[in-house]
Amino acid sequence: MSAQAIGTNLLTQRIYLDHAATSPMLPQAREAMIEGMLRWANPSSPHAEGRAARAALEDARTRIKATLGWQGHVIFTGGASEALGIAMRLAKGGRRWRSSVEHDAVLRAAPDAGVLPVNGEWDVDFDAVRDALAVGDRPVIAIQWVNPETGKVQPIERYAPMIAEGGGVMVTDASQLWGLNRFPREGDLIVLSAHKLGGPIGVGALLVGDLALLEASGGQEFGYRGGTENLPAVLGFAAAVEAWGARRTAMPDAERHHEMMDLHRTLKSYGAHQLMGYGEYVGNIRALAMPGLSAAAQLVRFDLKGFAVSAGSACASGTLKPSRVLQAFGVDPDVARRTIRVSMGWSTTAEEIRAFTDMWIDIAADAGARAA
């Protein structure tokens, strides 16, 4: 069976609702990668083949910038985790700070960073950000745009001017861009991931407002990372970004993800607890707690019934430990233990959401009957 047939079979036989972990590759991205594989030369080579590869690479960079409306630079990386690492390690500045709900890659890159708590509304505490800026040593502050476990959107449009005026450098993890129809141009260093958008795994980008913000480390990509650029993946990345751009133009937020809202309203009447604070949330991610059944038990039952869901971030869910992110948001430990994440993407249909809703009700009813 061909790879395409295997992928098609998996998508048609099962219902995939784990797009926040990774999204199936878009047809446009696959086609772009095939084109890239035909351009096999090293983009840094001076001969004609290398120049042709370089031209394709730079064209992809230009297309991504045009779609996002980004006026700065784009550094291609091996993924969002690498991009976050470059930002946190190489940004010129003093003390590193991070919100308490950042991705694990930020913690690994800056293990000694100061921690900015979230408030009762699940926003990063503004007073804590001001206190970090008051130190006056050009702090580097990481604030994630969309949380992958809950879908909470941080109001970075408010943090960005505060950090800029305070002389700091802002790092914005925008990996979960798919669920919104706008792009956060306010940040100094912005991180993107291809495979969250329907592009290939293993490629991401660090968007840099001014290269003077970073210490060059040598190598490729303007001297900020080592390794030959992965041209097929970059071309697939560009195609996925353009598909997102076309989609956001065709489908405003007000008309998007209404199936997920119906899911929330329906399951609430059956005892589901949706984890939410205040403010804005993306429409494609829902954190749902089921009465009387642990997240691990739910995942097994859903998987056996043909549904792919998860319990928190894919980078940490394999640890079987309580989610530190949910703890940081102040979620009751018992509720956190019973919480799974449902996330939709470009391939999700209304019928699949309705099927998941019915299955959730069946599993919850069975768990309740067993407990009775």
Side-chain angles (χ1 to χ4, degrees):
M1 184 181 292
S2 69
Q4 182 175 358
I6 292 173
T8 301
N9 186 59
L10 284 173
L11 285 176
T12 55
Q13 297 300 316
R14 291 174 56 83
I15 294 180
Y16 185 79
L17 296 173
D18 196 20
H19 289 259
T22 196
S23 196
M25 198 177 301
L26 286 156
Q28 303 96 306
R30 288 199 300 268
E31 293 170 7
M33 289 190 73
I34 292 173
E35 176 190 343
M37 290 175 187
L38 299 176
R39 299 177 181 271
W40 43 264
N42 190 319
S44 295
S45 297
H47 46 60
E49 291 84 356
R51 295 196 303 273
R54 170 61 60 181
L57 182 78
E58 296 306 323
D59 178 66
R61 203 186 313 270
T62 299
R63 287 157 50 203
I64 289 174
K65 290 172 60 175
T67 300
L68 299 176
W70 182 248
Q71 301 300 315
H73 303 271
V74 175
I75 297 173
F76 290 120
T77 67
S81 291
E82 183 192 359
L84 285 167
I86 292 173
M88 295 304 291
R89 287 193 295 265
L90 300 184
K92 296 177 182 177
R95 178 78 185 277
R96 269 50 177 168
W97 295 86
R98 64 168 179 85
S99 82
S100 58
V101 295
E102 294 299 307
H103 189 276
D104 283 351
V106 175
L107 280 65
R108 290 192 295 267
D112 298 326
V115 179
L116 306 171
V118 294
N119 59 29
E121 296 185 353
W122 287 21
D123 289 331
V124 178
D125 188 81
F126 286 90
D127 289 336
V129 175
R130 291 191 183 95
D131 290 343
L133 292 167
V135 175
D137 62 347
R138 201 186 193 195
V140 177
I141 300 176
I143 298 179
Q144 188 180 63
W145 192 28
V146 179
N147 183 265
E149 294 192 37
T150 63
K152 176 71 172 75
V153 180
Q154 293 295 329
I156 61 169
E157 296 87 352
R158 295 176 60 191
Y159 300 112
M162 182 197 323
I163 293 172
E165 291 169 8
V169 177
M170 184 173 177
V171 177
T172 304
D173 178 0
S175 298
Q176 297 292 339
L177 178 67
W178 190 88
L180 292 172
N181 71 347
R182 66 184 189 278
F183 180 72
R185 303 185 187 92
E186 294 83 2
D188 298 305
L189 301 168
I190 300 176
V191 169
L192 293 179
S193 173
H195 71 104
K196 311 291 188 181
L197 293 170
I201 291 174
V203 63
L206 177 62
L207 278 57
V208 185
D210 184 352
L211 288 177
L213 292 170
L214 294 177
E215 293 280 359
S217 59
Q220 315 294 51
E221 288 300 289
F222 312 105
Y224 294 99
R225 75 177 297 264
T228 301
E229 293 94 343
N230 185 344
L231 181 59
V234 166
L235 295 185
F237 186 10
V241 171
E242 289 181 327
W244 169 82
R247 173 184 164 279
R248 68 170 180 167
T249 301
M251 189 182 299
D253 275 346
E255 301 175 11
R256 191 184 297 170
H257 310 320
H258 61 274
E259 295 90 357
M260 290 291 262
M261 295 303 297
D262 289 342
L263 175 148
H264 173 221
R265 286 189 289 266
T266 300
L267 296 188
K268 185 177 180 180
S269 64
Y270 286 89
H273 177 77
Q274 180 172 324
L275 276 57
M276 297 185 76
Y278 297 87
E280 184 180 10
Y281 284 76
V282 288
N284 66 307
I285 298 175
R286 288 291 180 271
L288 298 167
M290 181 182 289
L293 199 61
S294 70
Q298 291 177 60
L299 296 189
V300 171
R301 285 164 171 75
F302 278 113
D303 194 39
L304 289 174
K305 296 294 185 178
F307 292 81
V309 294
S310 66
S313 172
C315 297
S317 61
T319 64
L320 299 180
K321 296 179 181 178
S323 166
R324 63 167 182 82
V325 169
L326 297 185
Q327 289 178 332
F329 277 127
V331 176
D332 180 272
D334 177 64
V335 174
R337 184 183 64 85
R338 296 183 283 104
T339 297
I340 65 170
R341 179 185 67 185
V342 183
S343 53
M344 63 183 283
W346 68 268
S347 63
T348 308
T349 66
E351 290 75 17
E352 289 176 334
I353 295 297
R354 286 193 287 269
F356 170 80
T357 302
D358 293 340
M359 185 56 63
W360 193 98
I361 293 170
D362 288 346
I363 291 173
D366 182 65
R370 290 173 183 270

